[in-house]
Amino acid sequence: MKAKRIITSLAAASLCAAALSSCSEAELMYLDFSKEIADWNVFTGTGEMAIELNNETLADFINDVSGATSVSASDIPFEKLSMAYTASADYDNSIYDIDLDITVDDNSPYTLNFYVDTEKVIFDKSVLDSVRQFLDDYNITDTNISYILDFTDEYFKDYDSIEIPFEYSNADMEFKNANMSRELIKAVSDFMSTAFDGYETSSYELNGENGVKAVFNYDNVVSAISDLFEYYINNSDKINAAWNDFTVEFSEFMNNTYPNEADDSDLSEQLKLPTVDEVKEMQAQFNSLVNDKSFNPLKDLLMNSEYGFEVEKVSDTSYNSNSYIDLNYKGNDLAYITTTETDNKLDQLEKKDYNSYVISYENEIIDKDFDKWLDENHPVKSADITWNKGNEHCAISYIRDGSYIDRSYTMLINIDDYIYVPMRQLVEGMGYSVEWDEQNKKAYVMNGNDRFDMTTVMVGDTTYIKVRDLEKMGIKVDYQEDGTGTGTIKCTASLDKAA
């Protein structure tokens, strides 16, 4: 889907949500706050989010929604989660710098720090410690991840961060998207203050001279939506006039932002408001839903839950905010979520110096070094060749110590009930090498200076090896069949690889 159409859809959704804010004095102040913050080019936000769950109630809710009884409280991985963060942004230069400390239950925080601009993303190496800590906290034994972490610690020991360049620079698109979000907020605020002048709800109220607070629960949201239907029906001309002004402005902005996607379609048609008759039909459907007394898990959750927030303008360059979500189901606490945040306007972001290892898309040096590190520290102990009888394809699993498995897929050949697979793929995967004798046009398996002559066949340019011949090297070859048509050849090395 075109970017312009995606953003147009997001704009429509934003307007539907914004319509609930109406235009009392408190609500107009809140819209002004949103426009002021949207005008900040550079800012930083510091805050914390905390979640407390009642896992018994949550499991009950999940089972009621899904119609199953398979989820229990013990299946939910945490009861408490908090996230402290500092997020800074420079919209003019499309720079984002984010520091996160995530705490699960009573464990130590997991730290994630990263920096993003139009050309790259940089991760602080602390993320590796957080992954290792997470595995320890939850007793997760994953040899694959452990090997990657051990290799990374050694490979990047002289660096404090890892830089991943983007394959192409998206500076222009990032700048456009940042400006689009800010322009959208301002345009929506202007539309709301004009179209819904005179429409008020009881949700918002002033909180001191420079503050706004609001509480949303089932009753006042239902009341606000009911009033909104009536307001729309009685003021459709005023709303549509403001809407036409908005769509003209928004269409111009979108076409200027995405000139390559300019077409003859009219955004006002895509964002067309419903007619009065259509609104009356929606009103009837809404009233039917509200008056329906049959039990519905989602409706019960909404009827017993509440959301509230407060925003305070501290100065022209600083705002404080906090919010809560109190979720209840069947009269029981389900979750309580709180957030606190301070946003500050900045002149510029503080520049950070990174000692980063740059991962390039143009080479595979890390993959090769990782394979070498694996072979040196965790050599392959065995290889399993698995296939379904009658199938010309097989999977080769190279098993190192622990449970680490490298897996590849290839063709196989059955000659007189003996299995043949590509020689280089099997042998080199097990840590040996292949030597080609040009004079005799023959391939040999090498273990250091020891050369082994194997039974082979050529198929096109590929040499296939008779798997049973690995016994010449002291490798145990064991054929197994599970009775369902799946065959497995286990090749277990009893011969050390020569240096």
Side-chain angles (χ1 to χ4, degrees):
M1 183 183 290
K2 292 183 177 182
K4 189 171 74 173
R5 296 185 183 276
I6 294 173
I7 295 169
T8 299
S9 301
L10 293 175
S14 300
L15 286 166
C16 292
L20 292 178
S21 65
S22 72
C23 288
S24 67
E25 183 180 1
E27 290 146 342
L28 287 172
M29 180 180 287
Y30 181 69
L31 291 174
D32 287 340
F33 289 172
S34 299
K35 290 172 66 176
E36 285 186 14
I37 295 175
D39 270 335
W40 291 358
N41 294 329
V42 185
F43 73 93
T44 184
T46 302
E48 183 172 358
M49 180 186 71
I51 301 174
E52 293 186 18
L53 300 177
N54 181 329
N55 288 348
E56 293 286 349
T57 306
L58 180 56
D60 186 28
F61 174 72
I62 293 172
N63 288 326
D64 286 348
V65 170
S66 65
T69 58
S70 57
V71 178
S72 66
S74 60
D75 295 324
I76 300 168
F78 66 88
E79 292 181 346
K80 295 185 297 183
L81 183 147
S82 65
M83 181 177 69
Y85 59 89
T86 298
S88 302
D90 180 345
Y91 283 147
D92 285 343
N93 297 294
S94 298
I95 296 173
Y96 308 91
D97 195 350
I98 301 172
D99 298 335
L100 300 176
D101 282 327
I102 301 172
T103 303
V104 180
D105 291 326
D106 296 321
N107 298 323
S108 299
Y110 309 119
T111 299
L112 306 171
N113 302 324
F114 55 96
Y115 166 96
V116 184
D117 62 24
T118 58
E119 298 178 344
K120 60 187 175 296
V121 57
I122 298 176
F123 293 94
D124 189 277
K125 275 205 319 184
S126 60
V127 66
L128 303 177
D129 296 328
S130 294
V131 172
R132 186 176 278 110
Q133 178 190 331
F134 178 82
L135 297 175
D136 291 341
D137 288 342
Y138 289 90
N139 298 316
I140 299 173
T141 303
D142 190 310
T143 309
N144 294 33
I145 296 177
S146 296
Y147 283 172
I148 293 172
L149 291 174
D150 290 344
F151 166 75
T152 305
D153 283 342
E154 182 176 329
Y155 197 83
F156 302 119
K157 62 184 178 182
D158 296 327
Y159 303 90
D160 57 26
S161 55
I162 302 169
E163 177 180 322
I164 304 175
F166 296 135
E167 291 187 72
Y168 58 89
S169 175
N170 58 350
D172 186 53
M173 184 59 67
E174 286 292 329
F175 177 76
K176 289 176 178 178
N177 287 340
N179 276 289
M180 184 283 300
S181 62
R182 296 154 65 192
E183 293 296 328
L184 178 59
I185 291 172
K186 291 186 285 186
V188 168
S189 299
D190 290 339
F191 166 73
M192 293 301 305
S193 59
T194 303
F196 294 93
D197 180 24
Y199 165 66
E200 298 185 9
T201 73
S202 59
S203 302
Y204 289 74
E205 61 181 276
L206 297 175
N207 188 23
E209 294 183 1
N210 294 297
V212 176
K213 62 181 179 181
V215 174
F216 298 92
N217 54 43
Y218 181 80
D219 289 337
N220 68 18
V221 169
V222 167
S223 176
I225 294 175
S226 298
D227 291 345
L228 182 61
F229 281 129
E230 290 297 327
Y231 181 89
Y232 190 103
I233 292 169
N234 295 324
N235 297 274
S236 60
D237 290 342
K238 181 173 72 170
I239 294 173
N240 276 280
W243 180 257
N244 289 335
D245 291 340
F246 168 80
T247 54
V248 169
E249 179 183 351
F250 190 63
S251 295
E252 290 178 356
F253 174 77
M254 291 300 297
N255 288 325
N256 289 334
T257 303
Y258 301 98
N260 293 333
E261 296 186 13
D263 51 35
D264 295 331
S265 63
D266 186 355
L267 286 179
S268 62
E269 287 297 317
Q270 299 177 41
L271 290 169
K272 190 174 182 179
L273 291 178
T275 65
V276 170
D277 287 340
E278 288 171 336
V279 170
K280 287 181 178 180
E281 183 178 345
M282 289 187 285
Q283 183 184 38
Q285 293 173 346
F286 176 75
N287 290 335
S288 175
L289 179 63
V290 170
N291 294 324
D292 185 0
K293 302 303 180 183
S294 61
F295 178 77
N296 179 290
L298 292 174
K299 185 177 178 181
D300 184 87
L301 179 69
L302 293 174
M303 290 180 68
N304 293 283
S305 300
E306 184 175 277
Y307 164 68
F309 71 85
E310 295 181 357
V311 180
E312 178 190 12
K313 181 178 180 179
V314 180
S315 69
D316 288 340
T317 60
S318 181
Y319 280 83
N320 291 333
S321 64
N322 61 76
S323 68
Y324 70 88
I325 302 175
D326 188 4
L327 300 178
N328 288 268
Y329 183 60
K330 294 181 178 177
N332 299 312
D333 293 336
L334 187 151
Y336 192 72
I337 306 168
T338 60
T339 63
T340 60
E341 181 167 321
T342 297
D343 294 312
N344 291 292
K345 182 180 180 181
L346 302 175
D347 292 327
Q348 62 182 20
L349 288 187
E350 179 183 352
K351 186 176 181 180
K352 293 184 178 180
D353 293 324
Y354 294 95
N355 177 27
S356 300
Y357 182 94
V358 180
I359 296 177
S360 173
Y361 288 97
E362 298 177 355
N363 62 64
E364 300 177 352
I365 186 170
I366 293 181
D367 287 342
K368 293 178 180 178
D369 287 348
F370 181 54
D371 291 341
K372 180 180 178 182
W373 180 87
L374 281 175
D375 290 337
E376 292 175 350
N377 294 276
H378 307 283
V380 173
K381 299 297 185 182
S382 62
D384 291 353
I385 305 169
T386 305
W387 72 99
N388 292 320
K389 284 195 170 181
N391 198 321
E392 297 179 345
H393 296 83
C394 67
I396 305 178
S397 301
Y398 308 97
I399 305 169
R400 302 180 186 272
D401 54 353
S403 60
Y404 190 95
I405 297 176
D406 293 324
R407 184 172 285 111
S408 64
Y409 300 89
T410 188
M411 301 285 291
L412 64 77
I413 300 172
N414 188 324
I415 301 177
D416 297 330
D417 289 334
Y418 286 103
I419 298 299
Y420 291 70
V421 297
M423 183 178 192
R424 192 174 296 278
Q425 188 168 343
L426 174 64
V427 170
E428 292 184 350
M430 294 187 69
Y432 304 104
S433 61
V434 175
E435 180 183 273
W436 176 254
D437 185 338
E438 179 64 27
Q439 181 176 351
N440 296 309
K441 304 295 183 183
K442 185 171 180 62
Y444 295 89
V445 177
M446 303 296 298
N447 181 35
N449 294 322
D450 296 329
R451 188 167 75 167
F452 298 89
D453 186 5
M454 303 293 188
T455 305
T456 61
V457 295
M458 290 290 295
V459 179
D461 294 331
T462 302
T463 300
Y464 282 70
I465 183 175
K466 182 180 178 181
V467 177
R468 179 65 66 179
D469 273 19
L470 293 179
E471 292 179 335
K472 297 178 181 180
M473 302 174 61
I475 294 175
K476 182 180 179 181
V477 178
D478 181 28
Y479 173 78
Q480 300 175 0
E481 189 173 335
D482 67 359
T484 66
T486 299
T488 300
I489 300 177
K490 292 185 174 292
C491 308
T492 306
S494 57
L495 181 68
D496 290 336
K497 284 80 173 176

